[in-house]
Amino acid sequence: MMCRINAIHGSCDLAPEGMFITDPHGNISVNPMFCVERPDQPSAYATSCGSLANAAPGKWGVAFDTFKRQTTIRNFEYPGFFAYYSHVSNTVGNLYFGDGLRNADLAFTV
């Protein structure tokens, strides 16, 4: 089960585009000049597979709370995977608490 959850995290973990940079030594660190222009748009976020804007329609859901200035992102292919981005603290987090099963009916739920 742990291998399955790690595989789901590997394919779904996301962060805003440009939030992380690579220094001259090859270390990944947070970009100190980073700011999301449109936190309510899927194109502002990316996984290891690329931008959410290029993902299959209906695979991701993006909701932005203007009062808290926080974006919540859901993955509908793997129900139970959530991510957040806080515009206030400039932090991102990913969480999965599901049964490890892929939603095979994703194409029919769009």
Side-chain angles (χ1 to χ4, degrees), residues 40-75:
D40 58 334
Q41 298 294 319
S43 59
Y45 305 93
T47 66
S48 60
C49 300
S51 175
L52 296 190
N54 299 330
K59 184 175 179 179
W60 295 94
V62 178
F64 182 67
D65 184 337
T66 55
F67 182 72
K68 294 180 183 176
R69 295 178 59 197
Q70 179 171 320
T71 305
T72 305
I73 305 161
R74 294 181 59 192
N75 184 302

Side-chain angles (χ1 to χ4, degrees), residues 78-102:
Y78 292 102
F81 184 88
F82 294 87
Y84 79 91
Y85 169 71
S86 174
H87 200 70
V88 176
S89 62
N90 204 25
T91 57
V92 64
N94 296 276
L95 174 68
Y96 177 72
F97 53 95
D99 55 10
L101 300 177
R102 184 176 171 267

Side-chain angles (χ1 to χ4, degrees), residues 6-28:
N6 287 339
I8 292 170
H9 270 287
S11 66
C12 297
D13 279 352
L14 59 88
E17 289 269 1
M19 184 172 192
F20 298 101
I21 56 174
T22 306
D23 66 10
H25 302 289
N27 301 320
I28 297 174

